[in-house]
Amino acid sequence: MNKSEFLAQLHDHLSVLPPEERQELMEDYEAHFTFALQNGKTEEEIAMELGNPAELAKEAIDGRFSAKEPVYWFNPNAVPEPTGPPIASAARPGRSGFASAMVYTGLFFLNMVAVPLLISLWMLGVSLATAAAGMLLSPVSLGLEYLVGNSVLPAKNYAVLVLMGLGILLALASKPVFKWLIRISKSYWTWNVQTAHGGSKA
């Protein structure tokens, strides 16, 4: 089962949830796929690790609604029938103390490598933006050279034009780079939180 098939089945099985809650759960699983794919896993491997979409949906829905409670959020005029005291949602079985300790230890050592790598990527993005700004400001330095009375060679004028062109290209490239950095950082953070909490959303 690939990513599209997995998410489509999960979406269908979660159809009884309110749209906002269903979308939130779908985004969590999409983030999990994104991070795992970036770490070299195939879509089929990720789907197999996550399990059966129907069972995952049942676990998410279980205990949220009683059998007699109608699904009424599609009709704002409908009134839910009283169903008695609210039923607490079924809790995910907790890890043992040893398992939790091993998970946190694994995350600690993983982050010792992954976090510096992320920081390095961010520094690379900042360097790219800084280089673009410096190139775009090259006409200012040429103008200052004119003001102090130094002779300016035609080659310098051409060099400034080249730097301006490169600066514009780098500035345009910086935007998608920073978007990618934000997305990968958020995905990694989400994965850390989900792993630390046993796969459930914090």
Side-chain angles (χ1 to χ4, degrees):
M1 182 185 303
N2 60 28
K3 175 183 175 181
S4 299
E5 294 170 340
F6 180 92
L7 293 178
Q9 289 187 27
L10 183 64
H11 187 275
D12 290 342
H13 288 298
L14 291 173
S15 60
V16 298
L17 291 177
E20 297 81 6
E21 190 171 350
R22 181 174 67 244
Q23 182 62 28
E24 188 176 15
L25 286 169
M26 293 298 298
E27 288 175 356
D28 287 344
Y29 283 100
E30 287 180 9
H32 186 88
F33 267 96
T34 299
F35 180 79
L37 287 170
Q38 290 164 352
N39 282 273
K41 293 186 178 181
T42 65
E43 293 184 355
E44 288 74 14
E45 289 173 339
I46 301 166
M48 188 176 298
E49 289 177 0
L50 288 172
N52 190 323
E55 294 178 0
L56 293 172
K58 182 179 183 300
E59 184 176 324
I61 297 168
D62 190 23
R64 295 174 186 265
F65 305 101
S66 66
K68 294 182 179 179
E69 185 175 359
V71 180
Y72 59 89
W73 49 84
F74 299 106
N75 182 2
N77 297 320
V79 179
E81 297 177 3
T83 56
I87 302 174
S89 58
R92 180 186 295 269
R95 292 195 190 106
S96 66
F98 176 77
S100 294
M102 293 301 293
V103 168
Y104 284 116
T105 302
L107 286 174
F108 173 76
F109 285 110
L110 174 64
N111 286 326
M112 286 182 66
V113 176
V115 171
L117 179 61
L118 276 175
I119 293 174
S120 299
L121 291 174
W122 274 98
M123 290 300 100
L124 184 62
V126 171
S127 300
L128 185 68
T130 303
M135 292 178 181
L136 290 173
L137 292 175
S138 58
V140 176
S141 62
L142 185 65
L144 292 174
E145 191 169 350
Y146 273 120
L147 288 176
V148 297
N150 293 335
S151 59
V152 179
L153 299 174
K156 290 185 178 180
N157 294 331
Y158 289 116
V160 166
L161 290 175
V162 171
L163 289 175
M164 282 284 292
L166 289 174
I168 292 171
L169 293 176
L170 286 178
L172 293 173
S174 296
K175 184 176 180 180
V177 167
F178 277 105
K179 282 186 175 181
W180 178 80
L181 286 170
I182 292 171
R183 186 169 64 251
I184 191 71
S185 299
K186 287 177 67 176
S187 296
Y188 183 67
W189 171 256
T190 300
W191 178 81
N192 267 270
V193 172
Q194 290 178 335
T195 303
H197 290 83
S200 62
K201 184 174 177 63

